[in-house]
Every structure is written in C-alpha cells, then in structure tokens.
Amino acid sequence: MSAAASGDRKASPYMPDSVETPRMPVAPKQALPAGACDTHCHVFGPYDRFPLQHPSSYAAPDAAAPRYLRMLDTLGAARGVLVQPAPYGTNPDALLDALAQGADRLRGIAVADPSVTDAQLRDLYERGVRGLRFVEARDPAGNLFPGSVGFDQVAALAPRMKAHGLHAQLWAPCDTYLRHLPALAGLDLPIVIDHLGSLVPARGESDPVFQLLRGLLAEGRIWMKLTVCRVGTAPDYENARFIHDACTAANPDQVLWGSDWPFVRMGAVAPSADALVDLAHGWLGSDTLRKKVWVDNPARLYGFK
C-alpha cells in the first residue's frame, strides 16, 4: 500500500508534454572511498506509473530509479539519498519505489504537511525515509512554489518527526534563513541545510547569512550539504570555495556531499557529476576528511549500516 503523506493523492495527475534526458557521468578520475554516499539527488518517473502532482516549472527529467542507480554506480557511490522534488507534492510513491529498488543502499527525504498521520510517518521510516523537506521559496505574489511545504509547518511537525526518527531538510533563498533559522535550530530536531545555504559568494564572509550558518554549524545545531553547483560559478566553482572550506572547518562532523543530479533547471549548463566528485576530492584535501564527508557523516545521519 502506498504511504501518501497528505491529500496530494487526490490531486489530478499531471503528465509532462516532454521529458529531458539528464546528463550522465563518466567514472571520476578520483575514486570515492568505500561506502561513499551522494546525499542529494532526485528521481522522476516513469511518468506512466508516477505522474507529477503539480505542473513543473522546469523541464521534467527522464530520471527514473534505474537511470539514477546507474549514475551512482558510475560514480562509484555505494549509497545515495533521494530528495522528493516539489512537482510530486506530498505524494511519495515515486520516491518509495526507488528506495525499494535500491534496497538498503538508499535513503529518502519525503515531503509531508501536518495532516500526515503517525501511521504514515511510521511507514515512511520503515521504507527508508529519514527526513522531511521544507521549502520556503515563493513567487512574486508571495505564494509557495506548488507542491512545497513551507518553513512555518516545521514546528507543528517537529515533535512527531523526532518521535519517528525523521529530521528536517530546508531549502530557501539565503536571506530567508535570517528570518526563520534561529527559531528552527532551537527545535531539538536535526536540521539539514541544502545547497550551501544558497549563499551568494560575492557577499563575502561579512554576509550576515554566512555568519549565521557558519555559527550554527560550528555549534552543531545544523548540518550542511556541500552542494556547489547552484552557488558557485562553473566550471571550477572557485568563487564558492571559501564557503565550502568555512563549513568543513566549522564542523567536519556535520557536513555532507551531494551532486544534485539530475540538475533540474540547469539544461545545457548542467555539470557532470563525476567532475563534481573530482572537485570535492581536491577541496576536501585529506583522506580523513573525505571519509568523514562521504562515508561517516551520512552513515550516522541517515542510518546506513
């Protein structure tokens, strides 16, 4: 039985008019350590089985579970974490199917609102979900992107999330964290920040958002995903390196690496995941830190055996 996380199962299915083939990697030049995990990817489709619940604001990728698993294998990643994308709303069927195909090598981040039942939360956990994603991105009219659950819902769900072994994963434009994160970081719930906090490299280290995120990370009150492709400037992302290095220095035990495959909204400028592996290998600098970021930290947070 499907473990729907809210009323989105009653939404009208949306079939995309066309699909985009995502960029697939080649083997990285630098081998990942044994047990390495890519903690940030998405699956979409197959759309005849798992139609979207909301029209997508980007080209729908042909990124079903078998292609995703081939991508992980090509990278040499033993493990992966899948994050439910907004066009699926709170319907987790595509995510759960992918987790089943990946067996114990995969974990998931689903989406739910406070209408979710304890039975549904328990079912999500038993099927490999370890967190819920909240997105505070709004259109010019102030409306959340379709399919998103906003930051204002985290506190209501936090006690039940904690009881069911789930953490909160957050994504927002960087300035949004100034308004919300101090309170959210005090909920006694693990908090994971997507995409290097969406920081703007040109603002430098004096940026109040940079200072907030680095401080909370140093205090152990948040985790950070070292996902550079939407923060730095391709192809070398060098302008974002100071952010990456500040995070690993602040708390090497609570940073994670994710590719962001299949790179939605990026089209022809999408990076190759193998190049991102090689970049991270160089930036991390030592085998000790590489093992923490790629193996030990995700194993602890997501419960890999």
Side-chain angles (χ1 to χ4, degrees), residues 195-196 226-233 237 240 244 258 276 279 283:
H195 301 294
L196 285 174
L226 306 175
T227 307
V228 303
C229 65
R230 298 185 189 274
V231 175
T233 302
Y237 304 100
H244 173 282
L276 297 175
L279 182 79
W283 284 11

Side-chain angles (χ1 to χ4, degrees), residues 37-43 68 71-72 75 79-85 107 109 133 135 167 169-171 192-196 224-230 256-264 273 276 294 298 302 304:
C37 183
D38 181 342
T39 71
H40 199 97
C41 292
H42 311 280
V43 290
Y68 162 68
M71 189 279 301
L72 279 188
L75 291 185
R79 298 163 175 166
V81 178
L82 288 168
V83 179
Q84 185 163 317
R107 297 288 185 267
I109 305 298
R133 194 188 201 198
V135 173
H167 64 260
Q169 181 169 312
L170 309 182
W171 180 83
V192 179
I193 306 298
D194 280 357
H195 301 294
L196 285 174
M224 180 66 74
K225 288 194 177 181
L226 306 175
T227 307
V228 303
C229 65
R230 298 185 189 274
L256 308 155
W257 182 86
S259 67
D260 199 28
W261 188 91
F263 309 111
V264 298
L276 297 175
W294 268 313
Y302 299 106
F304 289 109

